[in-house]
């Protein structure tokens, strides 16, 4: 069979530790035999970031802007231990943070679901995708601890607006906080969510606490509703999907009682908390995929988990690990599918659908890594190591292709 040819290259960002090992195996066993893989390769492994003073991360982000679609391996975000371990000049910033700052995007996280692992919430039948607004609110709030009685105020001064209001007349010690957001950031978050809902053909739900926060949260509600009415209503009707706005407590109740199959747009804090809840309730972090979508239509796919450091240290000692590669495979198929859609390469789209399906079938037929075997109800499973799992998928793929 002739290999599938690509038109535009994919921006490939390599990473660290166990996921770097898996990265190579995925390419060798699942992609290169079938695709004439065209990538612009950026090594975001910590060593290379150190060598280039992290310029490589900025170059990779700019390449995504140029080519449109990227796929990223998990990378180490340095902390004090890593500075010692890798003898770093400085504690380099999180690559994901750097890339997000350059692309200005929204992160969508989606669980991969298999029929032999039941979510903790029994009604959930379809994925719940969480979109988290990753700007402002409590994450960039300023706070004061009042040590005595006094007046706390909130003020704003512009060219024509000068406003000051009393937050609290303190009779004794207490705390106060001020947070902000911008119309620009909220609008681009809204557009990212509307676009992604159209992309995946799913209903979009958004919630705030606008009944209590009559100015702040209400602004989020107004911006979402305005943009929907003016730019997306017709498109949603044509796709037969719905945009639904409600209160945050109402949406939580509906999510728990519902069967899933919704894209849930969350304010920053809600998204932080709810994405951990949803990931854990669906099962394993190793089955959670993630995509950054920028308002300008750039896409970056990755696994939601980290570099699986503990497994890597065992791997270095020559031990076999049972590391789950599903989220990383789905990052590749997500990126290649998007490339196929943009360049109108039907065979590439078809290949990614087949590979996704084979991953699910392999697990559903009982071949899985240890993290999943622990969650699987059936005892009739064979627990395989990292490489055996990829080989099982690779063998099935060989039969089909
Ligand atoms: P982690 O790599 O997600 O792993 C935490 C634990 O979750 C693992 O020890 C393992 O549990 C389990 N796990 C995660 N992914 C798995 C997989 N694919 N297969 C099987 N088990 C899996 O998080 P971490 O250990 O806190 O972080 C390690 C490094 O990753 C850090 O340097 C951090 O900065 C980085 N990180 C990067 C990203 C990113 O690039 N997007 C995201 C998060 C963290 P057991 O050991 O119990 O088997
Ligand atoms: Mg969190």
């Amino acid at each position: 069979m002739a290999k599938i040819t690509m038109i535009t290259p994919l921006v490939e960002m390599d990473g660290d530790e166990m996921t770097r090992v898996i990265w190579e195996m995925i390419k060798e066993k699942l992609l290169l035999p079938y695709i004439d893989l065209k990538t612009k390769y950026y090594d975001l492994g910590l060593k290379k970031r150190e060598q280039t003073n992290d310029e490589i991360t900025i170059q990779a982000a700019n390449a995504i802007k140029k080519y449109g679609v990227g796929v990223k391996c998990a990378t180490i975000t340095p902390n004090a231990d890593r500075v010692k371990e890798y003898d770093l000049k400085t504690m380099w910033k999180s690559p994901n943070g750097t890339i997000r700052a350059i692309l200005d995007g929204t992160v969508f996280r989606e669980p991969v679901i298999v029929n032999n692992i039941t979510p903790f919430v029994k009604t959930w039948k379809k994925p719940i995708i969480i979109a988290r607004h990753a700007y402002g609110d409590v994450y960039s709030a300023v706070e004061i601890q009042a040590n005595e009685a006094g007046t706390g105020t909130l003020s704003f001064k512009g060219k024509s607006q000068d406003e000051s209001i009393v937050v609290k007349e303190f009779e004794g010690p207490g705390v106060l906080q001020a947070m902000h957001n911008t119309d620009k950031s909220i609008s681009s978050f809204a557009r990212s969510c509307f676009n992604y809902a159209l992309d995946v053909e799913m209903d979009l739900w958004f919630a705030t606490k606008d009944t209590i926060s009559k100015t702040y949260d209400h602004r989020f509600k107004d911006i979402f509703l305005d943009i929907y009415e003016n730019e997306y209503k017709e498109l949603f009707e044509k796709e037969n999907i719905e945009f639904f706005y409600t209160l945050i407590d109402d949406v939580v109740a509906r999510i728990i009682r519902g069967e899933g199959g919704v894209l849930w747009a969350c304010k920053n804090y809600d998204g932080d908390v709810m994405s951990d809840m949803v990931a854990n309730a669906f099962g394993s972090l190793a089955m959670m995929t993630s995509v950054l979508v920028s308002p300008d239509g750039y896409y970056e796919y990755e696994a939601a988990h980290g570099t699986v450091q503990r497994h890597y240290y065992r791997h270095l000692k020559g031990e076999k690990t049972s590391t789950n590669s599903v989220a990383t495979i789905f990052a590749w198929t997500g990126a290649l599918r998007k490339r196929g859609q943009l360049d109108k390469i039907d065979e590439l789209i078809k290949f990614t659908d087949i590979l996704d399906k084979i991953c699910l079938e392999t697990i559903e037929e009982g071949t899985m890594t240890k993290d999943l075997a622990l969650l699987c109800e059936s005892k009739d499973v064979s627990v395989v190591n990292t490489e055996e799992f990829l080989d099982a998928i690779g063998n099935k793929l060989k039969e089909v292709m």
Side-chain angles (χ1 to χ4, degrees), residues 290-303:
S290 164
V291 53
L292 173 73
V293 182
S294 87
D296 305 311
Y298 310 125
Y299 294 78
E300 186 218 39
Y301 293 80
E302 68 167 347

Side-chain angles (χ1 to χ4, degrees), residues 356-374:
D356 280 2
K357 194 162 154 260
I358 285 176
C359 285
L360 305 184
E361 278 170 12
T362 304
I363 297 167
E364 290 176 352
E365 286 164 11
T367 303
M368 59 187 81
T369 44
K370 195 175 144 198
D371 57 309
L372 294 184
L374 291 170

Side-chain angles (χ1 to χ4, degrees), residues 189-201:
F189 174 55
R191 289 196 179 90
S192 293
C193 292
F194 289 126
N195 285 337
Y196 200 69
L198 288 166
D199 238 28
V200 294
E201 293 170 26

Side-chain angles (χ1 to χ4, degrees), residues 29 44 48 83 95 113 155 183 189 221 248 279 293 331 345 399:
K29 293 173 192 292
L44 300 196
K48 188 76 181 183
V83 171
I113 297 182
S155 65
D183 284 10
F189 174 55
K221 176 185 180 180
I248 184 68
V293 182
I345 312 170
E399 281 168 31

Side-chain angles (χ1 to χ4, degrees), residues 100-108 131-136 181-197 204 206 219-220 222-228 231-232 263 265-267 291-299:
R100 202 155 43 209
I102 292 172
L103 299 182
D104 174 29
T106 300
V107 174
F108 298 85
R132 174 180 172 188
H133 182 211
Y135 178 82
N181 224 298
T182 64
D183 284 10
K184 180 167 178 266
S185 177
I186 301 166
S187 305
S188 78
F189 174 55
R191 289 196 179 90
S192 293
C193 292
F194 289 126
N195 285 337
Y196 200 69
L204 174 66
F206 179 55
R219 190 74 196 138
F220 280 78
D222 289 345
I223 288 175
F224 263 76
L225 288 171
D226 264 10
I227 292 178
Y228 177 69
E231 299 172 30
Y232 290 94
L263 169 53
C266 292
K267 285 183 64 203
V291 53
L292 173 73
V293 182
S294 87
D296 305 311
Y298 310 125
Y299 294 78

Side-chain angles (χ1 to χ4, degrees), residues 87-353:
D87 191 20
L88 302 177
K89 288 172 230 165
T90 178
M91 206 181 283
W92 304 112
K93 282 190 216 157
S94 144
N96 288 35
T98 302
I99 294 168
R100 202 155 43 209
I102 292 172
L103 299 182
D104 174 29
T106 300
V107 174
F108 298 85
R109 278 178 153 207
E110 177 174 1
V112 177
I113 297 182
V114 285
N115 67 16
N116 46 351
I117 292 166
T118 319
F120 289 100
V121 181
K122 291 195 169 39
T123 48
W124 290 359
K125 302 273 183 282
K126 300 178 198 163
I128 293 164
I129 303 180
I130 299 246
R132 174 180 172 188
H133 182 211
Y135 178 82
D137 296 1
V138 74
Y139 301 87
S140 48
V142 290
E143 306 183 320
I144 293 175
Q145 176 165 343
N147 298 320
E148 57 188 17
T151 310
T153 54
L154 178 68
S155 65
F156 173 82
K157 198 167 169 32
K159 238 189 215 155
S160 61
Q161 187 184 356
D162 190 349
E163 254 187 270
S164 190
I165 49 175
V166 172
V167 176
K168 177 75 182 168
E169 295 288 359
F170 287 95
E171 283 164 18
V175 282
L176 64 161
Q177 177 192 64
M179 54 187 193
H180 81 281
N181 224 298
T182 64
D183 284 10
K184 180 167 178 266
S185 177
I186 301 166
S187 305
S188 78
F189 174 55
R191 289 196 179 90
S192 293
C193 292
F194 289 126
N195 285 337
Y196 200 69
L198 288 166
D199 238 28
V200 294
E201 293 170 26
M202 267 185 172
D203 288 347
L204 174 66
W205 292 5
F206 179 55
T208 70
K209 195 72 184 176
D210 66 281
T211 46
I212 300 297
S213 171
K214 291 185 164 58
T215 303
Y216 196 103
D217 276 21
H218 213 288
R219 190 74 196 138
F220 280 78
K221 176 185 180 180
D222 289 345
I223 288 175
F224 263 76
L225 288 171
D226 264 10
I227 292 178
Y228 177 69
E229 285 297 328
N230 293 319
E231 299 172 30
Y232 290 94
K233 194 166 190 256
E234 277 173 30
L235 295 167
F236 269 52
E237 283 168 359
K238 221 162 83 194
E239 282 294 347
N240 209 12
I241 56 173
E242 194 191 351
F243 169 56
F244 176 58
Y245 176 84
T246 184
L247 289 169
I248 184 68
D249 33 0
D250 181 43
V251 93
V252 167
R254 285 171 191 266
I255 287 283
I256 292 296
R257 279 188 273 109
E259 58 163 24
V262 287
L263 169 53
W264 181 9
C266 292
K267 285 183 64 203
N268 209 348
Y269 177 82
D270 299 336
D272 184 353
V273 177
M274 292 306 164
S275 63
D276 282 345
M277 184 195 74
V278 168
N280 281 284
F282 269 109
S284 167
L285 190 56
M287 300 288 274
M288 189 61 84
T289 63
S290 164
V291 53
L292 173 73
V293 182
S294 87
D296 305 311
Y298 310 125
Y299 294 78
E300 186 218 39
Y301 293 80
E302 68 167 347
H305 61 75
T307 59
V308 214
Q309 182 183 15
R310 279 210 295 263
H311 293 212
Y312 182 60
Y313 287 167
R314 273 187 259 138
H315 169 82
L316 285 182
K317 282 195 245 160
E319 290 170 30
K320 296 275 181 218
T321 70
S322 185
T323 317
N324 188 337
S325 45
V326 169
T328 308
I329 297 172
F330 273 66
W332 271 103
T333 54
L336 288 167
R337 183 179 298 111
K338 178 53 72 182
R339 203 56 279 162
Q341 288 163 352
L342 293 172
D343 292 343
K344 306 204 165 36
I345 312 170
D346 287 341
E347 309 101 276
L348 189 57
I349 299 171
K350 205 174 137 208
F351 173 82
T352 60
D353 291 341

Side-chain angles (χ1 to χ4, degrees), residues 39 41-42 64 126 225 246 261 335 346 364 389 391:
T39 73
Y41 180 85
Y42 292 85
I64 300 175
K126 300 178 198 163
L225 288 171
T246 184
D346 287 341
E364 290 176 352
F389 182 68
D391 283 335

